[in-house]
Amino acid sequence: MRPADKSGKAKANTRAAAAALRMLPSVDECLRAAESDGALGAIGRGWRVELLRSALAQVRTRLAAGACEPAESRERIAALVIAQARAALASDEPRLRAVVNGAGVVLHTNLGRALLAESAIDAIAAAARAPVNLEYDLDSGGRGERDTIVEGDLCALTGAEAATVVNNNAAALLIALNTLANGREAIVSRGELIEIGGSFRLPELMAQSGARLREVGTTNRTHPADYVGAIGPDTAMLLKVHPSNYRIVGFTTAVELGELAAIGRAHRLPVAEDLGAGAMIDLSRYGLPHEPIVAERIAAGADLVTFSGDKLLGGPQAGIVAGRRELIDRIRRNPLKRALRCDKLTLAALAATLRIYRREDEPAELIPALRMLRRNPAELEEIAQAARAVLAGRLDSGFGIEVIESAAEIGSGAQPAEQIESRALRITHPERSADAIAAMFRRARPPVIGRIRDGAFMIDLRAIEDASALAVTFPP
Ligand SMILES: *Cc1c(COP(=O)(O)O)cnc(C)c1O
């Protein structure tokens, strides 16, 4: 091709683009045209203007770049803008969407942790719809305390004298430390200075609470004498932290809670334990590894325990502090309580969840997180086979779908070293990489979140309630 030709053609293109741009309709013209459009006509004016403005800008850019057919009339361009705005409207979905958890992690922090029991969901809806006696004492007609909504059940279930609830477990620990040890020392074993996901680092949280961290022992071994030797006039409390997401194995010693509680009593110092997951019931009844039970830790002598509402408890995001009444009262009077308190929806869901534990012999029947953890390999095999059939009807025949044995996790730092037997669908395609298949599943409706193991895309069934959850569609 000769250079003269090229520049001639480029000039013609530029002229065509300039002509098209001169025909660009105004926002007002587009608005008038959009009034008769079914979809755009049905939405609020402000939003309609917003969609048309951005569609107009996109069409302008495309015309200027010569990237679309030079339109022959103003009406044609307006129609282009309307079509573009209508497409933007159609693809406007809520940012927070339901997804399928095929990651094999039951309490997946990034996917919102515990699914709620139906009664907890109903309680949220009821509390959202009508005024509630959140801080109103119906007997006296006077002001009430929102903790009383859950305190009785929490005490009955844990054996604690009192309990208070805040936004999450990090907040529970923050307010406990700030109340008991602001400007003074809290003694912690070096083996328990944890960092868990999502920027929770114990030493940093302690610094924010105003408590001074006094480390004792070594990474793998801490002895009673280490704690006793560190106690001085500045000591405010002894803190034990459940090493949620890791294990120290081999040549190790830790001071058991009972022993630490005895040291605390001897020195008149409160002993607190951050449990993290904090089970209400013994998970070994489902063949799962033993996870600390809140009631056991209170019985073993902890003056305070902190744990999450949305981990093994299977309720909403919340942080619970349970323990001695005098300490809980002090925490409640801390101004931070006002900043960290939880709302009526959370309390409604938490109360409904606790009620299940108190009233049912088998809470796993009603609490999804426990139900998912309880399922045995035979049940999962059945779900996997059914899920395979559902997916086979939705993927083209080029895909291979195989049921395989897999290993799932409880998640949220509970028993990280312990894998629980599960079943998964392994999905392969001769021409597509595992990453490409994973991306295709993320674009499905609803999106399916799986994981890649041994170079293949897998959907683990442990955290998927039943096969129908995989009746998804794949947009073209
Ligand atoms: C999970 C966890 C936390 C943080 O709890 P959130 O409810 O996520 O704030 C703190 N400590 C331990 C030991 C944990 O396992």
Side-chain angles (χ1 to χ4, degrees):
M1 191 187 280
R2 283 177 297 147
D5 256 17
K6 203 175 170 183
S7 74
K9 207 167 177 185
K11 269 187 190 147
N13 275 347
T14 313
R15 270 199 308 276
L21 281 175
R22 275 195 302 277
M23 276 194 282
L24 207 65
S26 68
V27 176
D28 275 337
E29 281 173 86
C30 294
L31 259 176
R32 275 195 296 280
E35 261 157 35
S36 54
D37 181 89
L40 290 171
I43 62 174
R45 191 190 138 85
W47 192 20
R48 187 157 61 228
V49 171
E50 212 179 293
L51 287 171
L52 287 169
R53 275 226 171 89
S54 109
L56 201 55
Q58 283 173 45
V59 169
R60 181 189 292 118
T61 312
R62 268 159 53 202
L63 285 175
C68 61
E69 291 288 294
E72 60 285 357
S73 73
R74 231 175 164 76
E75 288 70 35
R76 275 261 317 169
I77 301 183
L80 220 58
V81 172
I82 302 282
Q84 174 87 29
R86 205 191 299 126
L89 175 62
S91 65
D92 182 69
E93 289 181 88
R95 288 277 158 192
L96 188 68
R97 284 190 274 162
V99 302
V100 178
N101 176 4
V105 180
V106 175
L107 299 168
H108 198 306
T109 299
N110 303 146
L111 302 183
R113 291 194 187 156
L115 304 186
L116 295 182
E118 286 302 322
S119 60
I121 295 167
D122 291 345
I124 288 178
R129 210 168 270 130
V132 287
N133 57 333
L134 180 64
E135 287 184 352
Y136 186 84
D137 185 334
L138 289 173
D139 291 329
S140 69
R143 198 193 139 91
E145 154 65 57
R146 62 179 70 202
D147 279 340
T148 54
I149 295 162
V150 291
E151 190 174 24
D153 283 338
L154 279 170
C155 292
L157 289 164
T158 62
E161 291 171 7
T164 184
V165 186
V166 286
N167 179 58
N168 58 12
N169 188 33
L173 190 57
L174 178 73
I175 196 169
L177 286 165
N178 179 264
T179 306
L180 302 187
N182 190 12
R184 298 177 65 209
E185 281 181 1
I187 304 180
V188 188
S189 160
R190 289 198 170 87
E192 297 172 2
L193 293 175
I194 60 165
E195 169 177 325
I196 56 174
S199 70
F200 177 99
R201 283 181 149 191
L202 186 73
E204 288 169 12
L205 186 115
M206 286 187 73
Q208 288 300 318
S209 76
R212 282 204 308 280
L213 169 61
R214 177 71 190 266
E215 303 174 26
V216 294
T218 61
T219 304
N220 57 329
R221 284 166 76 87
T222 302
H223 304 275
D226 295 326
Y227 286 96
V228 174
I231 292 173
D234 265 0
T235 309
M237 68 189 290
L238 309 178
L239 174 65
K240 195 163 173 61
V241 183
H242 183 52
S244 291
N245 51 358
Y246 73 100
R247 288 288 171 273
I248 293 176
V249 294
F251 185 57
T252 68
T253 308
V255 177
E256 286 309 317
L257 177 62
E259 223 170 333
L260 197 62
I263 296 171
R265 272 194 307 276
H267 294 83
R268 297 179 171 280
L269 290 170
V271 174
E273 183 171 42
D274 176 25
L275 282 178
M280 284 286 120
I281 57 170
D282 189 354
L283 293 183
S284 61
R285 70 158 98 156
Y286 307 138
L288 294 166
H290 182 87
E291 180 72 14
I293 303 163
V294 179
E296 274 179 6
R297 310 311 278 175
I298 296 281
D303 297 303
L304 283 183
V305 294
T306 59
F307 56 102
S308 294
D310 53 355
K311 291 186 178 175
L312 286 172
L313 177 71
Q317 178 189 304
I320 297 155
V321 195
R324 277 181 28 220
R325 171 156 302 284
E326 181 258 328
L327 301 177
I328 298 290
D329 282 343
R330 278 169 61 196
I331 289 172
R332 240 179 230 141
R333 287 195 301 269
N334 187 328
L336 271 179
K337 175 72 200 308
R338 179 63 177 75
L340 302 175
R341 74 183 186 188
C342 41
D343 74 327
K344 63 176 180 173
L345 305 184
T346 300
L347 287 167
L350 183 60
T353 310
L354 295 171
R355 196 164 245 249
I356 294 174
Y357 282 102
R358 279 201 77 185
R359 295 189 167 190
E360 305 290 328
D361 286 332
E362 193 36 276
E365 298 289 340
L366 299 173
I367 295 179
L370 297 179
R371 191 161 65 225
M372 286 167 173
L373 290 170
R374 182 179 64 164
R375 296 188 299 193
N376 61 38
E379 286 169 81
L380 290 167
E381 176 75 29
E382 213 170 288
I383 295 167
Q385 293 297 348
R388 197 178 73 90
V390 168
L391 263 192
R394 289 170 186 261
L395 290 172
D396 74 57
S397 57
F399 285 92
I401 314 173
E402 211 187 331
V403 174
I404 58 164
E405 276 190 25
S406 66
E409 289 166 43
I410 297 176
S412 287
Q415 298 294 341
E418 306 278 349
Q419 306 253 288
I420 42 179
E421 186 180 340
S422 187
R423 292 292 180 277
L425 300 179
R426 185 171 179 273
I427 296 156
T428 52
H429 190 284
E431 277 132 44
R432 299 197 199 190
S433 69
D435 281 330
I437 297 175
M440 182 186 95
F441 273 89
R442 285 198 305 274
R443 282 194 305 270
R445 268 133 220 269
V448 179
I449 316 298
R451 60 179 165 176
I452 293 173
R453 277 291 136 84
D454 303 324
F457 177 70
M458 301 198 339
I459 300 172
D460 194 293
L461 279 311
R462 173 61 73 178
I464 295 178
E465 194 100 43
D466 63 68
S468 65
L470 287 171
V472 299
T473 53
F474 296 94

